[in-house]
Amino acid sequence: MTKTYTVGNYLSERLGQIGLKHHFAVAGDFNLVLLDQLLEEGSTKQIYSCNELNCGYTAEGYARANGAAAMVITFNVGALSAINAIGSAYAESQPVIFISGGPNTNDQGAGHILHHTIGTTDYGYQAEMVRHVTCATEILRSAENAPAQIDNAIRTALRLRKPAYIEVPCNLAAAPCTRPGPVSGLLAETTPDKVSLDAAIKAACTFIETRKNVAILVGSRVRTLGSLEPVVALAERIGCAVTVMAGAKSFFPENHPSFRGVYWGEVSTNGAQDVIEKADGVICLAPIFNDYATVGWQSQPDAKNMLLADLNEVTVDGQSFTGFHLGAFIAALSEKAPRRTASVESTKLLPEVIPGSAPEAPLTNDEMARQINGLLDSKTTLTAETGDSWFNAIRMTLPGGARVETEMQWGSIGWSVPASLGTAYAEPDRQHVLMVGDGSFQLTAQEVAQMVRYEIPVIIFLINNRGYVIEIKIHDGPYNYIKNWDYAGLIKAFNAEDGHGLGLHARTGAELADAISKAKANKKGPTLIECSIATEDCTDTLVRWGKKVAAANGRPPHVS
Ligand code: TPU
Ligand code: MG
């Protein structure tokens, strides 16, 4: 007798069809049968996380590297922990399929009080909470409707590059279901509206033609294009200078002759501030101009000089155009745009040099950043956590092909440990390097145990500066100082009887160099290098930026 095909099998097959090789999970009694169905169908490998927050961040990191991701957790106690990570996926535009086990359909509306819930009997509230951080929210109600609902959630997530929610009642996971048809209906982009796209291209060409000094500013949502090639093609067509925003570090090859650094107002690198602020035409590709990116609302290209190409809307010279995606706009503009090379010809890429110190001297922030920069090659993904790690990553010089992942819109400390694990699952052939501060690490430290369990060789630079230095620079107080841990010593605990993680200390440049060579050789697990530096020792860009952000936070309320 052939086995019944189930709702869980359908979901599983769809996840495989959209290109996932893994899904991330934490077990709970509302999702156990679903987990069985996913294992049985087997299109994607089931990977476990220590908790649901970490599970969400792992999925978010995986989506960055793979284009999409899926996670499966249990009702309420699991899902509510995961919402922070789903907020991250929304803010950072990552299509994470957020799958929660749900109550038995017979308990919905029956007045039954269920465990793991807040003790009321209307079980729609989880989906209501999640609705704000997802682009589609589906509670499966019957096996008959399940395929359409699953497909709607996945299709919407992929099109909008946002997370989507699927709640699978525990008694539907193994219910008989039809099989999926071709996946093309879920993957196909909407056809661009030609009239609107043509008009946008005409307006964009006029914008470029009528400006003397044109530059491109690449924003972080360009990541959703999945490739740097379209932006490179556009830059080469126009022949102008290209700068990237801080959240878009690495989204334009730094060894390209048009590259002019990271534009971040007064804390820009390589002379990028001049390039952008002297331009009379800035083509902004999917930027996010938030308070951090604008250095406390100080630095942003002048609106009259801006062509704003967002994911689903282009605004230029007072007119806005919709009905096509950024990818279609860039592709079309790359065929029509006029040449404007002044910004390349009149500027140079100013080198960023990170000074080193003597090998036996106490380790400094500069020496640490210099050595980490030296470790990066064309197959490295560097994940940099909120904190001074942002500023250290931003000032590094990247070889072509190296990638940097930051979470500058959501900025939730603790994100980077599970997220770097996610990127490592997705791209095992790359070198995965993580920079994380001591304060951030304390939120999600236990996920290093999964790197040990699954033998994932992430090289972790744990910057032990005894506190929340980024917060110290924004606004100091006793709340910015934390309990010290033996971070390198944690690895022994995580290894337990069978792990291959390595925990090392670096208190001098020589110790760091030695630790890095040991880390490169350790392919059977993570290597955590605890870098001890003084609390006062940080990048000067963090200090300058912190002052401006503090001033923006401290603006008095308007009196009307
Ligand atoms: O290098 P450093 O010392 O700046 O980094 P570390 O040690 O990781 O400290 C980060 C400090 C920090 C906090 C406490 N950065 N942002 N915050 C505020 C914050 C609190 N809770 C969450 C979930 N996210 C935050 N960003
Ligand atoms: Mg710190």
Side-chain angles (χ1 to χ4, degrees), residues 328-383:
F329 175 75
I330 293 179
L333 190 58
S334 299
E335 288 180 0
K336 293 258 166 66
R339 272 189 94 66
R340 273 286 178 271
T341 55
S343 58
V344 159
E345 284 154 10
S346 62
T347 60
K348 279 213 284 283
L349 180 78
L350 306 179
E352 286 290 322
V353 181
I354 306 178
S357 45
E360 301 309 328
L363 187 62
T364 61
N365 186 47
D366 281 347
E367 176 60 17
M368 177 188 73
R370 192 186 69 79
Q371 289 200 30
I372 297 172
N373 200 164
L375 172 67
L376 310 182
D377 62 19
S378 63
K379 296 191 91 185
T380 299
T381 299
L382 170 67
T383 300

Side-chain angles (χ1 to χ4, degrees), residues 437-440 463-470 482:
D438 48 354
S440 302
I463 299 105
N464 187 352
N465 54 12
R466 307 286 178 118
Y468 298 155
V469 170
I470 189 171
I482 58 177

